[in-house]
Amino acid sequence: MIFPEYRPRRLRRNEVLRSLIRETQLSPDHLIYPLFVQPGKGRRDAITSMPGVFRLSVDELAKEAKECMGLGIKNVILFGLPEDKDPVGSGAHANDGIIQRAIRELKNKVPEMMVSTDVCLCEYTDHGHCGVIINQQVDNDTTLEILARTALSHAQAGADMVAPSDMMDGRVAEIRQILDENDFQNIPIMSYAVKYASAFYGPFRDAADCAPQEGDRRGYQMDPANAREALREATLDVDEGADILMVKPAVAYLDIISRLHDEFDLPVAAYHVSGEYAMIKAAAANGWLDEARVMQETLLSIRRAGADIILTYFAKDYAKLFAG
Ligand code: PBG
């Protein structure tokens, strides 16, 4: 069929027709909202490079989660700012650590909220790297045990899902094993399977105070130039017992999302990261872009590429727009 017999515009004539044939749907069900927790009470501190996002004390966190629920967002992922940092990130697995307290408070005040946790050490180490440093290197195997203890402490505090983001080799297997040994067989692992060494994390590192003091993360996070390596990373995580595979960042890596979606049968998550959020906010604040439309188009494109789940700082804004 070619023109003039076939006319694609026939099905674009009005919104009812367009929505009848729309291929991609995105609802708040598919979104996970990242939240930053800090010590104190009644604190709600703005993050300059991420307009609309705040560092919340535990009490404020519960209020925020209630608001999310009201908007139809039923998933959050927690990042913590601890009181103290040390070389081995002890605060990450402390029983009374910031995340552990936050999980208990959320499960207590908003039990229906699905609480995921980021499992990493960079917010808890004084040097800001995602693992323990031995001989000037981030030591993979020493770090594994600390990550596993961290994941276990999250599960013990009541977390519904754990999400390792450190990029150490073998951490998914280590975490699965310790969870299973402690009767947490039913806690899924959402692995940051394909996480690139990206400049788009800049605003997050301000927010979570986790920029490396020296060097960068290229010794453990992936090279943005590599696509086939992403498949190897994902294969390893599948074999180690991951339940969900994540790609991060999202918009600059839509090809990777699409390949993971085609090659694997696990659900795929994509993290629309801080820098991707900040760019849209900044352009909109200057009046250069229509924020709502660009947000919608961006999130839809991530989903269209093959993401089942999107982690995004726009979750609340999208949910409001979705509600109409
Ligand atoms: C922790 C972690 C980071 C992000 C999520 N988990 C920072 C990093 O790896 O440097 C970035 C999230 C964002 O930019 O929104 N390792």
Side-chain angles (χ1 to χ4, degrees), residues 50 79 118 120 122-123 130 165-166 192 195 200-202 204-205 210 217 221 248 271-275 313:
M50 300 172 72
F79 296 92
D118 186 78
C120 193
C122 64
E123 295 119 275
C130 301
S165 71
D166 51 281
Y192 288 69
K195 177 172 175 179
F200 286 103
Y201 307 149
F204 175 95
R205 291 183 187 171
C210 69
R217 302 210 205 290
Q221 298 180 347
K248 180 183 172 191
Y271 201 140
H272 183 241
V273 302
S274 56
Y313 304 98

Side-chain angles (χ1 to χ4, degrees), residues 34-36 45-55 79 81 122-123 198-212 217 248-249 271-282 313:
L35 292 170
F36 298 94
D45 301 339
I47 300 163
T48 321
S49 52
M50 300 172 72
V53 182
F54 300 83
R55 298 171 167 196
F79 296 92
L81 292 110
C122 64
E123 295 119 275
S198 170
F200 286 103
Y201 307 149
F204 175 95
R205 291 183 187 171
D206 294 337
D209 184 27
C210 69
R217 302 210 205 290
K248 180 183 172 191
Y271 201 140
H272 183 241
V273 302
S274 56
E276 300 180 289
Y277 172 82
M279 289 194 307
I280 296 175
K281 283 284 178 185
Y313 304 98

Side-chain angles (χ1 to χ4, degrees), residues 53-264:
V53 182
F54 300 83
R55 298 171 167 196
L56 306 167
S57 53
V58 170
D59 53 327
E60 289 291 322
L61 182 77
K63 285 187 211 159
E64 183 79 18
K66 276 212 183 92
E67 191 197 331
C68 287
M69 262 297 161
L71 291 168
I73 299 161
K74 299 162 225 157
N75 287 275
V76 293
I77 183 165
L78 303 181
F79 296 92
L81 292 110
E83 275 96 349
D84 302 302
K85 301 184 188 231
D86 68 17
V88 291
S90 310
H93 53 79
N95 184 37
D96 62 347
I98 184 74
I99 287 292
Q100 290 76 5
R101 298 198 309 267
I103 298 165
R104 280 189 223 108
E105 178 75 4
L106 282 186
K107 284 286 137 189
N108 194 9
K109 297 273 167 64
V110 202
E112 63 282 22
M113 178 63 79
M114 179 65 204
V115 179
S116 296
T117 55
D118 186 78
V119 176
C120 193
L121 302 185
C122 64
E123 295 119 275
Y124 305 89
T125 53
D126 49 15
H127 46 74
H129 277 288
C130 301
V132 178
I133 296 184
I134 298 176
N135 295 333
Q136 277 113 53
Q137 301 278 343
V138 174
D139 192 81
N140 195 86
D141 297 13
T142 317
T143 302
L144 293 181
E145 196 228 317
I146 307 174
L147 291 168
R149 282 175 67 185
T150 301
L152 177 61
S153 77
H154 292 176
Q156 285 168 335
D160 297 295
M161 178 153 76
V162 293
S165 71
D166 51 281
M167 286 304 273
M168 298 302 118
D169 295 331
R171 91 276 207 205
V172 172
E174 195 90 0
I175 290 171
R176 186 70 271 158
Q177 189 186 341
I178 201 169
L179 291 179
D180 289 356
E181 283 167 2
N182 288 275
D183 281 337
F184 291 110
Q185 298 89 337
N186 294 327
I187 300 295
I189 299 175
M190 174 165 67
S191 175
Y192 288 69
V194 184
K195 177 172 175 179
Y196 287 93
S198 170
F200 286 103
Y201 307 149
F204 175 95
R205 291 183 187 171
D206 294 337
D209 184 27
C210 69
Q213 300 293 310
E214 268 183 63
D216 54 43
R217 302 210 205 290
R218 278 181 276 198
Y220 41 104
Q221 298 180 347
M222 280 182 57
D223 183 340
N226 295 355
R228 295 195 310 145
E229 188 186 350
L231 303 181
R232 283 203 295 282
E233 277 284 3
T235 302
L236 282 170
D237 284 9
V238 172
D239 292 347
E240 289 180 28
D243 299 281
I244 296 172
L245 300 171
M246 195 198 300
V247 175
K248 180 183 172 191
V251 180
Y253 299 87
L254 292 178
D255 56 328
I256 309 298
I257 295 171
S258 168
R259 285 175 79 161
L260 253 65
H261 178 267
D262 291 348
E263 303 275 340
F264 298 91

